[in-house]
Amino acid sequence: AQSVTQPDIHITVSEGASLELRCNYSYGATPYLFWYVQSPGQGLQLLLKYFSGDTLVQGIKGFEAEFKRSQSSFNLRKPSVHWSDAAEYFCAVGLRNTNAGKSTFGDGTTLTVKP
Amino acid sequence: DAGVIQSPRHEVTEMGQEVTLRCKPISGHNSLFWYRQTMMRGLELLIYFNNNVPIDDSGMPEDRFSAKMPNASFSTLKIQPSEPRDSAVYFCASRAGQTNEKLFFGSGTQLSVL
């Protein structure tokens, strides 16, 4: 069965510092890959997604993610973190070649931004 | 578009009571998902519908949980009877088409069962 692992439960970075959130997946083929952000009390919002082509994907709010097939990873990065980026971040995978298949989510990484 | 609309935003109930959570997906979306989020288990898929038909309900915890989608614009998740361990945030999400399309999430219903 497909699975998603986010190894870091909680990360703290200083404002202006760079950020990398890790995501690894386990699946027989390359799935569709997503990163979502959840601000306190809100639903999830899509940051970016990958399903083919360039392995470096640009998203909203200055985020990017790089798909590395050899490592089964899809890590999220941001060069300079802003205080408003404090939130919970979820990596998710979706099955290819299925109609209306489900998405599997990681457990999430909580980001705290220090002033 | 108003996005995915969930109601109520908060629900506090006593153990044993029936709870009904409601969701209105984005118009034109043909897939609808119910998720539950807790600190211990993270985000879990409970059930999803495609064109109003339940496709996968393997995530539904037990028979106390049921979900319906009587038409393309409305879905309910019912818990009867509710238990304290059902306390969580329940999210509804909808999607326009295939698996590579993104999910649009509602703001969630915070359920507390006392």
Side-chain angles (χ1 to χ4, degrees), chain B residues 5 8 13 17 19-20 25-26 28-29 31 35 43 50 53 55 64-65 67 71 82-83 88 98 105 107 111 113-114:
Chain B
I5 299 173
T13 191
Q17 296 297 309
V19 175
T20 300
I26 293 174
H29 283 192
S31 296
Y35 287 90
L43 199 63
N50 186 33
V53 176
I55 302 300
R64 297 185 297 107
F65 285 70
N71 56 64
S82 59
E83 297 182 2
Q98 303 300 311
F105 282 78
S107 298
L111 173 64
V113 183
L114 307 177

Side-chain angles (χ1 to χ4, degrees), chain A residues 32 34 36 38 41-46 49 51 88 90 94-96 98-107, chain B residues 9 31 33 35 37 41-43 45 48 50 55-56 58 91 95 97-107:
Chain A
Y32 298 122
F34 308 82
Y36 290 84
Q38 183 181 22
Q42 302 297 315
L44 280 75
Q45 180 186 23
L46 180 72
K49 65 180 180 181
F51 48 90
E88 190 162 16
F90 291 90
L95 288 171
R96 289 181 181 265
T98 63
N99 184 25
K102 62 185 180 182
S103 293
T104 300
F105 284 76
D107 290 337
Chain B
R9 285 297 305 272
S31 296
F33 303 76
Y35 287 90
Q37 184 180 35
R41 295 185 299 270
L43 199 63
L45 176 65
Y48 77 94
N50 186 33
I55 302 300
D56 184 352
S58 60
F91 286 102
R95 186 176 66 200
Q98 303 300 311
T99 313
N100 60 334
E101 296 295 327
K102 70 178 185 179
L103 296 174
F104 289 81
F105 282 78
S107 298

Side-chain angles (χ1 to χ4, degrees), chain B residues 52-68:
Chain B
N52 312 337
V53 176
I55 302 300
D56 184 352
D57 65 355
S58 60
M60 296 286 265
E62 48 198 273
D63 293 344
R64 297 185 297 107
F65 285 70
S66 62
K68 294 182 179 180

